[in-house]
């Protein structure tokens, strides 16, 4: 609003004392102060209200006005209640610095002026922003995007003083204005949003973190690539973005809430564009996957890979290595309205998981090709040409391959909130291969690793190819009742004995097997005399009827401990 509009509002009781040629200045806010130096609280464009308590000597006026002028305030309004007429020294100082000066009648409270200015400024800003949002919506739905979500978020900051960020369901920042959101805080916000969505609460959801309140608005994917209206929230909860606003929307008027809903719709258009851009990569992955699964000749698969490599790794001169990642989302069939189509959910989620969590932007997954087959998502991930991750040269290979635990480390908490008590995400990662001949094996390896992950407790689990070279590969496929009977038969006598005598037979057995049956090394590890160790091992053999000098019995104990 303009200063002129304030002067023309009789209810405010303002009288102009100087600066009539500056009345077209814009007022962006209001601040009341009686500090001699309020500079730390000024950002420019304010109408400053003061009761003149800071004015002790005539020479105090000049430095005060100079501070306001340097800060770029719109005008100064001085109350007459304290001193009566406004001192000439203040009038003259304002004239020298070309700062408009108003006198406020003693019958008018500063709160009245503040409320009027805030109401007018907020209304005008919301109207201006709404018009801009509407214009961008029309542009973005009919032609090229006008700068992406950042443009609208910048407008929220400049016109409504709202800091906001667009986050993925894993908490990765997709867009933001100004400083990036702290990664830990972003993960917390995403987790809260997912948990609230699972309970059926309508947005915006509110959360206080580190003394600041955030309002979380869902961004529904309703564009060309969106699935039909979901019958069950679980079909979309793990793939929808959210808008996090640093403000408490609980007391917002309906007009502002509607404006923010318009912003989320605008960002949804951008997401639709991103999903459309992924179509080519998804199709390439699907074609390669079908060739691999149908046993096509390696030459045919290699030809498809040569087509895929320039799309996934632009400018790469040589063929890359490849890794396969398999993911599956499973829901308790009793937890919703009916069966959930989990393939597309797993596909969108795997595309997000494979992006470096420190990467900002909606188009950062341009090297990831994910297909889905039934309820299984399968990613074909290219790696730059070089030594394979399994080679001896760890200095050059550690960064080349994807590692199962690292993939889920940054996303486990928020996704666990979205999966709640009735969902699971399991993921398996293959070793890297450098030819078409190896892709069939890599796919089966990733699938086996995922099954190993599925046998573990927890809502979000992963396993890598390195775990398939041991007994771990076999244990997940042993029926639960067989596993329980096997471990009970071998270990329950030892547990009962330990419970009654505190003999520590179970820890002794674990250490003995871990030391490959070496009496000396095991005694040293347990800080025991060798004779004491021999006595404990003898007691284990007596209670179980097994002989720990026999390989078969050692192996049985080893498996029982791993399955327990």
């Amino acid at each position: 609003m303009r200063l002129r509009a304030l002067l023309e509002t009789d209810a405010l009781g303002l009288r102009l004392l100087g600066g009539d040629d500056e009345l077209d200045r814009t007022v962006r806010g209001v601040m009341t102060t009686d500090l001699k130096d309020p500079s730390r609280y000024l950002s420019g464009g304010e109408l400053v209200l003061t009761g003149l308590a800071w004015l002790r000597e005539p020479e105090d006026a000049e430095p005060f006005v100079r501070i306001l002028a340097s800060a770029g305030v719109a005008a100064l309004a001085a109350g007459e209640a304290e001193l009566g007429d406004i001192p000439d020294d203040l009038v003259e100082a304002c004239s020298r610095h070309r700062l408009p000066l108003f006198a406020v009648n003693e019958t008018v409270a500063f709160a009245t002026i503040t409320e009027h200015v805030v109401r007018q400024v907020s209304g005008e800003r919301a109207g201006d922003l709404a018009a801009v949002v509407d214009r961008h919506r029309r542009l973005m739905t009919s032609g090229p995007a006008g700068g992406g979500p950042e443009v609208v978020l910048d407008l929220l900051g400049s016109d409504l003083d709202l800091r906001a960020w667009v986050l993925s369901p894993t908490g990765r920042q997709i867009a933001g204005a100004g400083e990036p959101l702290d990664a830990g805080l972003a993960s917390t916000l995403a987790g809260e949003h997912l948990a609230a969505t699972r309970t059926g609460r309508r947005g915006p959801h509110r959360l206080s973190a580190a003394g600041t309140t955030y309002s979380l608005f869902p961004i529904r994917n309703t564009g060309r690539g969106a699935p039909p209206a979901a019958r069950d929230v679980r079909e979309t909860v793990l793939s929808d973005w959210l808008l996090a606003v640093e403000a408490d929307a609980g007391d917002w008027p309906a007009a502002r809430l509607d404006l923010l809903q318009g912003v989320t719709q605008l960002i949804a258009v951008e997401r639709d564009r991103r999903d459309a851009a992924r179509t080519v990569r998804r199709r390439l992955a699907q074609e390669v996957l079908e060739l691999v699964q149908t046993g096509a000749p390696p030459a045919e698969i290699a030809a498809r890979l040569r087509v895929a490599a320039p799309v996934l790794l632009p400018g790469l001169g040589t063929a890359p290595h490849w890794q396969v990642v398999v993911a599956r989302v499973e829901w308790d069939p009793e937890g919703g309205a009916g069966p959930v189509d989990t393939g597309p959910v797993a596909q969108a989620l795997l595309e997000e998981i494979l992006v470096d969590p420190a990467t900002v932007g909606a188009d950062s997954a341009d090297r990831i090709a994910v297909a889905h087959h039934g309820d299984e998502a399968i990613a074909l991930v290219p790696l730059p040409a070089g030594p394979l991750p399994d080679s001896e040269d760890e200095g050059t290979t550690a960064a080349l391959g994807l590692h199962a635990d690292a993939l889920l480390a940054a996303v486990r908490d928020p996704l666990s909130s979205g999966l709640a008590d009735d969902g699971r995400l399991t993921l398996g990662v293959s070793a890297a291969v450098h030819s078409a001949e190896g892709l069939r094996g890599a796919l089966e390896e990733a699938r086996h690793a995922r099954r190993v992950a599925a046998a573990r407790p927890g809502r979000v689990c992963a396993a890598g190819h390195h775990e398939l070279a041991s007994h771990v590969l076999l244990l997940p496929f042993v029926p639960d009742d067989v596993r329980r009977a096997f471990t009970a038969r071998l270990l329950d006598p030892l547990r009962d004995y330990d419970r009654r005598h505190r003999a520590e037979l179970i820890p002794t057995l674990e250490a003995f097997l871990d030391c490959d049956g070496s009496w000396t090394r095991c005694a040293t590890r347990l800080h025991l005399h060798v004779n004491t160790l021999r006595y404990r091992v003898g007691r284990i053999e007596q209670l179980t009827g097994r002989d720990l000098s026999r390989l078969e019995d050692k192996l049985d104990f080893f498996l029982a401990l791993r399955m327990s």
Side-chain angles (χ1 to χ4, degrees):
M1 65 179 305
R2 307 287 182 181
L3 290 175
R4 191 180 307 280
L6 289 175
L7 189 61
E8 294 171 351
T9 304
D10 294 337
L12 300 182
L14 296 177
R15 181 162 47 90
L16 184 64
L17 300 181
D20 53 345
D21 56 344
E22 302 287 342
L23 292 180
D24 286 328
R25 288 189 181 187
T26 299
V27 179
R28 295 186 176 276
V30 61
M31 189 193 78
T32 301
T33 184
D34 273 315
L35 296 173
K36 294 183 69 173
D37 182 2
S39 56
R40 73 183 69 181
Y41 305 108
L42 299 172
S43 58
E46 298 92 347
L47 172 66
V48 175
L49 304 175
T50 179
L52 300 177
W54 52 269
L55 188 59
R56 307 289 179 81
E57 304 291 341
E59 55 268 21
D60 290 341
E62 172 63 27
F64 181 80
V65 173
R66 184 171 61 249
I67 289 170
L68 299 189
S70 299
V73 303
L76 173 65
E80 296 178 322
E82 185 75 20
L83 302 178
D85 292 337
I86 306 303
D88 292 339
D89 300 288
L90 181 58
V91 176
E92 293 169 1
C94 287
S95 178
R96 283 194 297 272
H97 291 279
R98 299 180 63 82
L99 181 66
L101 175 63
F102 297 101
V104 182
N105 190 283
E106 62 182 357
T107 62
V108 178
F110 282 176
T112 300
I113 300 174
T114 299
E115 182 180 355
H116 177 83
V117 171
V118 170
R119 188 186 306 115
Q120 294 297 318
V121 169
S122 297
E124 290 177 5
R125 287 177 179 173
D128 291 345
L129 182 59
V132 173
V133 168
D134 185 63
R135 183 170 67 252
H136 274 262
R137 183 187 293 114
R138 291 196 302 271
L139 287 172
M140 295 173 71
T141 54
S142 61
E150 287 82 2
V151 173
V152 181
L153 300 186
D154 283 335
L155 288 169
L156 286 176
S158 62
D159 286 14
L160 291 185
D161 298 324
L162 293 176
R163 298 179 65 203
W165 303 264
V166 178
L167 305 178
S168 77
T170 66
R172 185 176 63 87
Q173 180 173 321
I174 292 169
E179 290 295 320
L181 198 61
D182 174 76
L185 175 58
S187 178
T188 299
L189 295 179
E192 172 64 20
H193 172 75
L194 291 174
T197 302
R198 286 303 316 276
T199 62
R201 286 157 46 195
R202 296 187 62 182
H205 313 302
R206 288 175 288 163
L207 170 68
S208 293
T212 302
T213 300
Y214 297 86
S215 297
L216 311 175
F217 294 81
I219 298 173
R220 307 296 185 195
N221 186 13
T222 58
R224 295 184 300 273
R231 298 170 301 166
D232 191 318
V233 68
R234 298 177 299 176
E235 293 183 2
T236 58
V237 65
L238 297 179
S239 55
D240 282 343
W241 289 354
L242 68 137
L243 177 67
V245 181
E246 190 181 80
D248 186 347
D251 56 356
W252 280 4
R256 179 168 287 203
L257 288 172
D258 288 344
L259 175 62
L260 266 293
Q261 294 297 340
V263 169
T264 64
Q265 293 169 12
L266 187 58
I267 295 170
V269 174
E270 274 295 282
R271 174 165 188 179
D272 183 43
R273 293 183 184 280
R274 184 213 62 162
D275 288 343
R278 286 186 172 184
T279 301
V280 173
R281 296 191 296 275
R282 288 174 171 177
R283 186 171 63 248
L284 284 173
Q286 195 73 41
E287 291 174 355
V288 173
L289 173 63
E290 289 175 359
L291 290 173
V292 170
Q293 293 193 124
T294 57
E300 187 176 354
I301 299 175
R304 295 308 302 161
L305 289 178
R306 284 194 294 272
V307 172
V311 176
L312 299 178
L313 287 176
L316 190 66
T318 56
H321 299 136
W322 304 89
Q323 272 184 290
V324 176
V325 182
V326 173
R328 188 171 179 177
V329 175
E330 298 173 283
W331 299 105
D332 182 348
E334 303 298 324
V340 178
D341 186 5
T342 59
V345 175
Q347 181 182 42
L349 191 56
L350 185 54
E351 287 172 337
E352 176 60 33
I353 290 172
L354 291 173
V355 179
D356 184 343
T359 302
V360 175
D363 299 321
S364 51
D366 58 355
R367 295 186 177 185
I368 299 166
V370 182
H372 75 85
H373 180 74
D375 56 2
E376 188 178 63
I378 304 169
L380 186 65
V381 183
L383 304 174
L388 288 177
D390 289 334
S391 72
E392 299 294 330
D393 187 2
E394 295 183 0
T396 60
T397 62
L400 286 181
L402 298 173
H403 299 275
D405 290 337
L407 284 176
L408 295 184
V411 304
R412 182 172 276 109
D413 289 344
L415 291 184
S416 296
S417 298
L419 292 162
D421 296 327
D422 60 345
R424 292 200 75 203
L425 167 67
T426 52
L427 184 146
V429 182
S430 78
V433 296
H434 58 79
S435 66
E437 290 87 344
L439 276 182
R440 180 68 178 269
L443 175 58
E444 292 306 313
E445 191 173 57
R447 282 174 166 162
H448 280 303
R450 193 207 62 78
R451 294 189 189 104
V452 170
R456 295 173 175 167
R459 291 291 164 195
V460 181
C461 299
H465 60 90
H466 60 283
E467 300 179 65
L468 304 185
S470 70
H471 64 284
V472 180
L473 176 61
L474 302 177
L475 294 184
F477 308 105
V478 179
D480 287 344
D481 54 346
V482 175
R483 295 169 66 174
R484 284 193 295 269
F486 181 74
T487 57
R489 185 169 64 252
L490 279 178
L491 301 182
D492 279 2
L494 306 182
R495 291 178 177 134
D496 292 341
Y497 192 87
D498 281 347
R499 195 177 302 113
R500 294 195 308 269
H501 302 284
R502 299 182 180 179
E504 298 188 355
L505 296 185
I506 292 288
T508 300
L509 176 61
E510 290 176 330
F512 186 72
L513 295 175
D514 196 40
C515 292
D516 298 324
S518 169
W519 297 98
T520 303
R521 281 196 291 128
C522 184
T524 300
R525 174 182 292 189
L526 296 176
H527 306 290
L528 298 175
H529 192 278
V530 171
N531 289 340
T532 302
L533 175 62
R534 290 185 184 277
Y535 171 80
R536 289 187 182 180
V537 171
R539 179 63 67 185
I540 291 170
E541 293 175 333
Q542 180 185 19
L543 290 170
T544 61
R546 298 300 185 104
D547 182 357
L548 278 169
S549 65
R550 298 178 67 247
L551 176 62
E552 293 88 345
D553 288 342
K554 285 181 182 178
L555 181 59
D556 282 350
F557 277 122
F558 178 79
L559 292 174
L561 287 169
R562 290 299 181 273
M563 288 190 291
S564 64

